[in-house]
CSV table of all heavy atoms in Angstrom, one decimal:
chain,number,residue,atom,x,y,z
A,63,LEU,N,-6.8,-0.2,-10.8
A,63,LEU,CA,-7.8,-0.3,-9.7
A,63,LEU,C,-8.9,-1.3,-10.1
A,63,LEU,O,-9.5,-1.1,-11.1
A,63,LEU,CB,-8.4,1.1,-9.5
A,63,LEU,CG,-9.3,1.3,-8.3
A,63,LEU,CD1,-8.6,0.9,-7.0
A,63,LEU,CD2,-9.7,2.8,-8.3
A,64,TRP,N,-9.0,-2.3,-9.3
A,64,TRP,CA,-10.0,-3.3,-9.5
A,64,TRP,C,-11.3,-3.0,-8.9
A,64,TRP,O,-12.4,-3.3,-9.5
A,64,TRP,CB,-9.4,-4.6,-9.0
A,64,TRP,CG,-10.1,-5.9,-9.4
A,64,TRP,CD1,-10.0,-6.5,-10.6
A,64,TRP,CD2,-11.0,-6.7,-8.6
A,64,TRP,NE1,-10.8,-7.6,-10.6
A,64,TRP,CE2,-11.4,-7.8,-9.4
A,64,TRP,CE3,-11.4,-6.6,-7.3
A,64,TRP,CZ2,-12.2,-8.7,-8.9
A,64,TRP,CZ3,-12.2,-7.6,-6.8
A,64,TRP,CH2,-12.6,-8.6,-7.6
A,65,THR,N,-11.4,-2.5,-7.7
A,65,THR,CA,-12.6,-2.0,-7.1
A,65,THR,C,-12.2,-1.1,-5.9
A,65,THR,O,-11.0,-1.1,-5.5
A,65,THR,CB,-13.5,-3.1,-6.6
A,65,THR,OG1,-14.8,-2.6,-6.3
A,65,THR,CG2,-12.9,-3.9,-5.4
A,66,TYR,N,-13.1,-0.3,-5.3
A,66,TYR,CA,-12.8,0.6,-4.2
A,66,TYR,C,-14.0,0.9,-3.4
A,66,TYR,O,-15.2,0.7,-3.9
A,66,TYR,CB,-12.1,1.8,-4.7
A,66,TYR,CG,-13.0,2.6,-5.7
A,66,TYR,CD1,-13.8,3.7,-5.2
A,66,TYR,CD2,-13.0,2.4,-7.0
A,66,TYR,CE1,-14.6,4.4,-6.0
A,66,TYR,CE2,-13.8,3.1,-7.9
A,66,TYR,CZ,-14.6,4.1,-7.4
A,66,TYR,OH,-15.4,4.8,-8.2
A,67,THR,N,-13.8,1.5,-2.3
A,67,THR,CA,-14.9,2.0,-1.4
A,67,THR,C,-14.2,3.1,-0.6
A,67,THR,O,-13.0,3.3,-0.6
A,67,THR,CB,-15.5,0.9,-0.6
A,67,THR,OG1,-16.7,1.5,0.1
A,67,THR,CG2,-14.6,0.4,0.5
A,68,THR,N,-15.1,3.8,0.2
A,68,THR,CA,-14.5,4.8,1.1
A,68,THR,C,-14.7,4.4,2.6
A,68,THR,O,-15.6,3.7,2.9
A,68,THR,CB,-15.2,6.2,0.9
A,68,THR,OG1,-16.6,6.0,1.0
A,68,THR,CG2,-14.9,6.7,-0.5
A,69,GLN,N,-13.7,4.8,3.4
A,69,GLN,CA,-13.8,4.6,4.8
A,69,GLN,C,-14.2,5.9,5.4
A,69,GLN,O,-13.3,6.8,5.5
A,69,GLN,CB,-12.4,4.1,5.3
A,69,GLN,CG,-12.3,3.9,6.8
A,69,GLN,CD,-13.1,2.7,7.2
A,69,GLN,OE1,-13.2,1.7,6.6
A,69,GLN,NE2,-13.7,2.8,8.4
A,70,ASN,N,-15.4,6.0,5.8
A,70,ASN,CA,-15.9,7.3,6.3
A,70,ASN,C,-16.0,7.5,7.8
A,70,ASN,O,-16.4,8.5,8.3
A,70,ASN,CB,-17.3,7.6,5.7
A,70,ASN,CG,-17.3,7.8,4.2
A,70,ASN,OD1,-16.4,8.5,3.7
A,70,ASN,ND2,-18.1,7.1,3.4
A,71,PHE,N,-15.6,6.5,8.5
A,71,PHE,CA,-15.6,6.5,10.0
A,71,PHE,C,-14.3,5.9,10.5
A,71,PHE,O,-13.7,5.1,9.8
A,71,PHE,CB,-16.8,5.8,10.6
A,71,PHE,CG,-16.9,4.4,10.2
A,71,PHE,CD1,-16.3,3.4,10.9
A,71,PHE,CD2,-17.6,4.0,9.0
A,71,PHE,CE1,-16.4,2.0,10.5
A,71,PHE,CE2,-17.7,2.7,8.6
A,71,PHE,CZ,-17.1,1.7,9.4
A,73,PRO,N,-11.9,3.5,12.1
A,73,PRO,CA,-12.0,2.1,12.4
A,73,PRO,C,-11.9,1.8,13.9
A,73,PRO,O,-11.4,2.7,14.7
A,73,PRO,CB,-10.8,1.5,11.7
A,73,PRO,CG,-10.5,2.5,10.6
A,73,PRO,CD,-10.8,3.8,11.2
A,78,TYR,N,-7.0,-0.6,15.1
A,78,TYR,CA,-6.6,0.7,14.5
A,78,TYR,C,-5.8,1.5,15.5
A,78,TYR,O,-6.3,1.7,16.6
A,78,TYR,CB,-7.8,1.4,13.9
A,78,TYR,CG,-7.4,2.7,13.2
A,78,TYR,CD1,-6.9,2.7,12.0
A,78,TYR,CD2,-7.7,3.9,13.8
A,78,TYR,CE1,-6.6,3.9,11.3
A,78,TYR,CE2,-7.4,5.1,13.2
A,78,TYR,CZ,-6.8,5.1,12.0
A,78,TYR,OH,-6.5,6.3,11.3
A,84,PHE,N,-9.7,11.9,12.7
A,84,PHE,CA,-9.9,11.0,11.5
A,84,PHE,C,-10.3,11.8,10.3
A,84,PHE,O,-11.2,12.6,10.4
A,84,PHE,CB,-11.0,9.9,11.9
A,84,PHE,CG,-11.2,9.0,10.7
A,84,PHE,CD1,-10.3,8.0,10.4
A,84,PHE,CD2,-12.3,9.2,9.9
A,84,PHE,CE1,-10.6,7.1,9.4
A,84,PHE,CE2,-12.6,8.3,8.8
A,84,PHE,CZ,-11.7,7.3,8.6
A,85,THR,N,-9.7,11.4,9.2
A,85,THR,CA,-10.1,12.0,7.9
A,85,THR,C,-10.5,10.8,7.0
A,85,THR,O,-9.7,9.9,6.8
A,85,THR,CB,-8.9,12.7,7.2
A,85,THR,OG1,-8.4,13.7,8.1
A,85,THR,CG2,-9.3,13.4,5.9
A,86,PRO,N,-11.7,10.9,6.4
A,86,PRO,CA,-12.1,9.8,5.5
A,86,PRO,C,-11.1,9.5,4.4
A,86,PRO,O,-10.4,10.4,3.9
A,86,PRO,CB,-13.4,10.3,4.9
A,86,PRO,CG,-13.9,11.2,5.9
A,86,PRO,CD,-12.7,11.9,6.5
A,87,TYR,N,-11.0,8.3,4.0
A,87,TYR,CA,-10.0,7.9,2.9
A,87,TYR,C,-10.7,6.8,2.1
A,87,TYR,O,-11.7,6.2,2.5
A,87,TYR,CB,-8.7,7.5,3.5
A,87,TYR,CG,-8.7,6.3,4.5
A,87,TYR,CD1,-8.6,5.0,4.1
A,87,TYR,CD2,-8.8,6.6,5.9
A,87,TYR,CE1,-8.6,4.0,5.0
A,87,TYR,CE2,-8.8,5.6,6.8
A,87,TYR,CZ,-8.7,4.2,6.3
A,87,TYR,OH,-8.8,3.2,7.3
A,88,ALA,N,-10.1,6.5,1.0
A,88,ALA,CA,-10.5,5.4,0.1
A,88,ALA,C,-9.6,4.2,0.3
A,88,ALA,O,-8.4,4.3,0.5
A,88,ALA,CB,-10.5,5.9,-1.4
A,89,VAL,N,-10.2,3.0,0.1
A,89,VAL,CA,-9.4,1.8,0.1
A,89,VAL,C,-9.9,1.0,-1.1
A,89,VAL,O,-11.0,1.2,-1.6
A,89,VAL,CB,-9.7,0.9,1.4
A,89,VAL,CG1,-9.1,1.6,2.6
A,89,VAL,CG2,-11.1,0.6,1.6
A,90,GLY,N,-9.0,0.2,-1.6
A,90,GLY,CA,-9.4,-0.5,-2.8
A,90,GLY,C,-8.5,-1.7,-3.0
A,90,GLY,O,-7.5,-2.0,-2.3
A,91,TYR,N,-8.8,-2.5,-4.1
A,91,TYR,CA,-8.0,-3.6,-4.5
A,91,TYR,C,-7.3,-3.1,-5.8
A,91,TYR,O,-8.0,-2.7,-6.7
A,91,TYR,CB,-8.8,-4.8,-4.8
A,91,TYR,CG,-9.2,-5.6,-3.6
A,91,TYR,CD1,-10.4,-5.5,-3.0
A,91,TYR,CD2,-8.3,-6.5,-3.0
A,91,TYR,CE1,-10.8,-6.2,-1.8
A,91,TYR,CE2,-8.6,-7.2,-1.8
A,91,TYR,CZ,-9.8,-7.0,-1.3
A,91,TYR,OH,-10.2,-7.8,-0.1
A,92,VAL,N,-6.0,-3.3,-5.8
A,92,VAL,CA,-5.2,-2.9,-7.0
A,92,VAL,C,-4.7,-4.2,-7.6
A,92,VAL,O,-4.0,-5.0,-6.9
A,92,VAL,CB,-4.1,-1.9,-6.7
A,92,VAL,CG1,-3.2,-1.7,-7.9
A,92,VAL,CG2,-4.7,-0.6,-6.1
A,100,VAL,N,-4.0,-6.6,-4.5
A,100,VAL,CA,-3.5,-6.1,-3.2
A,100,VAL,C,-4.6,-5.1,-2.6
A,100,VAL,O,-5.0,-4.2,-3.3
A,100,VAL,CB,-2.2,-5.3,-3.4
A,100,VAL,CG1,-1.8,-4.7,-2.1
A,100,VAL,CG2,-1.1,-6.3,-3.8
A,101,GLU,N,-5.0,-5.4,-1.4
A,101,GLU,CA,-5.9,-4.4,-0.7
A,101,GLU,C,-5.0,-3.3,-0.1
A,101,GLU,O,-4.0,-3.6,0.5
A,101,GLU,CB,-6.6,-5.1,0.4
A,101,GLU,CG,-7.6,-4.2,1.1
A,101,GLU,CD,-8.4,-4.8,2.2
A,101,GLU,OE1,-8.1,-6.0,2.6
A,101,GLU,OE2,-9.2,-4.2,2.8
A,102,ALA,N,-5.4,-2.1,-0.4
A,102,ALA,CA,-4.5,-1.0,0.1
A,102,ALA,C,-5.3,0.3,0.2
A,102,ALA,O,-6.4,0.5,-0.4
A,102,ALA,CB,-3.4,-0.7,-0.9
A,103,ARG,N,-4.8,1.2,1.0
A,103,ARG,CA,-5.3,2.5,1.1
A,103,ARG,C,-5.0,3.2,-0.3
A,103,ARG,O,-4.0,3.0,-0.9
A,103,ARG,CB,-4.6,3.3,2.2
A,103,ARG,CG,-5.1,4.6,2.5
A,103,ARG,CD,-4.5,5.2,3.7
A,103,ARG,NE,-5.2,6.5,4.0
A,103,ARG,CZ,-5.1,7.1,5.1
A,103,ARG,NH1,-4.4,6.6,6.1
A,103,ARG,NH2,-5.7,8.3,5.3
A,104,LEU,N,-5.9,4.1,-0.7
A,104,LEU,CA,-5.7,4.9,-1.9
A,104,LEU,C,-5.5,6.4,-1.5
A,104,LEU,O,-6.0,6.9,-0.5
A,104,LEU,CB,-6.9,4.8,-2.8
A,104,LEU,CG,-7.4,3.4,-3.2
A,104,LEU,CD1,-8.6,3.4,-4.0
A,104,LEU,CD2,-6.3,2.7,-3.9
A,105,THR,N,-4.6,7.1,-2.2
A,105,THR,CA,-4.3,8.4,-1.8
A,105,THR,C,-5.4,9.4,-2.2
A,105,THR,O,-5.5,10.5,-1.6
A,105,THR,CB,-3.0,8.9,-2.5
A,105,THR,OG1,-3.1,8.9,-3.9
A,105,THR,CG2,-1.8,8.1,-2.1
A,106,GLU,N,-6.2,9.1,-3.1
A,106,GLU,CA,-7.4,9.9,-3.5
A,106,GLU,C,-8.6,9.6,-2.7
A,106,GLU,O,-9.2,8.5,-2.9
A,106,GLU,CB,-7.6,9.7,-5.0
A,106,GLU,CG,-8.8,10.6,-5.6
A,106,GLU,CD,-8.7,12.0,-5.2
A,106,GLU,OE1,-7.8,12.7,-5.8
A,106,GLU,OE2,-9.5,12.5,-4.4
A,107,PRO,N,-9.0,10.5,-1.8
A,107,PRO,CA,-10.2,10.2,-1.0
A,107,PRO,C,-11.6,10.4,-1.7
A,107,PRO,O,-12.6,9.9,-1.2
A,107,PRO,CB,-10.1,11.1,0.2
A,107,PRO,CG,-9.3,12.3,-0.4
A,107,PRO,CD,-8.4,11.7,-1.4
A,108,ASP,N,-11.6,11.2,-2.8
A,108,ASP,CA,-12.8,11.5,-3.5
A,108,ASP,C,-13.2,10.4,-4.4
A,108,ASP,O,-12.5,10.2,-5.5
A,108,ASP,CB,-12.6,12.8,-4.2
A,108,ASP,CG,-13.9,13.3,-4.9
A,108,ASP,OD1,-14.9,12.6,-4.9
A,108,ASP,OD2,-13.9,14.4,-5.4
A,109,PRO,N,-14.3,9.7,-4.1
A,109,PRO,CA,-14.7,8.6,-5.0
A,109,PRO,C,-15.0,9.0,-6.4
A,109,PRO,O,-15.0,8.2,-7.4
A,109,PRO,CB,-15.9,7.9,-4.3
A,109,PRO,CG,-16.4,9.0,-3.4
A,109,PRO,CD,-15.2,9.8,-3.0
A,112,LEU,N,-12.1,8.6,-8.8
A,112,LEU,CA,-11.6,7.2,-9.0
A,112,LEU,C,-12.4,6.5,-9.9
A,112,LEU,O,-13.6,6.7,-10.1
A,112,LEU,CB,-11.6,6.4,-7.6
A,112,LEU,CG,-10.6,7.0,-6.5
A,112,LEU,CD1,-10.9,6.3,-5.2
A,112,LEU,CD2,-9.2,6.8,-6.9
A,118,MET,N,-2.7,2.8,-11.4
A,118,MET,CA,-2.3,3.2,-10.1
A,118,MET,C,-0.8,2.9,-9.9
A,118,MET,O,-0.3,2.1,-10.6
A,118,MET,CB,-3.1,2.4,-9.0
A,118,MET,CG,-4.6,2.5,-9.2
A,118,MET,SD,-5.3,4.1,-8.9
A,118,MET,CE,-5.3,4.2,-7.1
A,137,PHE,N,2.1,2.0,3.0
A,137,PHE,CA,2.0,2.0,1.6
A,137,PHE,C,0.6,2.4,1.2
A,137,PHE,O,-0.4,2.2,1.9
A,137,PHE,CB,2.4,0.7,1.0
A,137,PHE,CG,1.5,-0.5,1.3
A,137,PHE,CD1,0.4,-0.8,0.4
A,137,PHE,CD2,1.6,-1.2,2.5
A,137,PHE,CE1,-0.4,-1.9,0.7
A,137,PHE,CE2,0.8,-2.3,2.8
A,137,PHE,CZ,-0.2,-2.6,1.9
A,138,ALA,N,0.4,2.9,0.0
A,138,ALA,CA,-0.9,3.3,-0.6
A,138,ALA,C,-0.7,3.3,-2.1
A,138,ALA,O,0.5,3.2,-2.6
A,138,ALA,CB,-1.3,4.6,-0.1
A,139,PHE,N,-1.8,3.3,-2.8
A,139,PHE,CA,-1.7,3.5,-4.3
A,139,PHE,C,-2.3,4.8,-4.6
A,139,PHE,O,-3.4,5.2,-4.1
A,139,PHE,CB,-2.4,2.3,-5.0
A,139,PHE,CG,-1.6,1.1,-5.0
A,139,PHE,CD1,-1.6,0.1,-4.0
A,139,PHE,CD2,-0.8,0.8,-6.1
A,139,PHE,CE1,-0.9,-1.0,-4.0
A,139,PHE,CE2,0.0,-0.3,-6.1
A,139,PHE,CZ,0.0,-1.2,-5.1
Side-chain angles (χ1 to χ4, degrees):
L63 188 57
W64 192 75
T65 194
Y66 62 93
T67 190
T68 54
Q69 178 69 37
N70 293 314
F71 56 91
Y78 181 75
F84 179 77
T85 304
Y87 58 89
V89 293
Y91 281 98
V92 175
V100 174
E101 181 180 7
R103 185 172 184 164
L104 306 177
T105 62
E106 178 54 66
D108 184 351
L112 296 169
M118 305 295 282
F137 68 93
F139 280 88

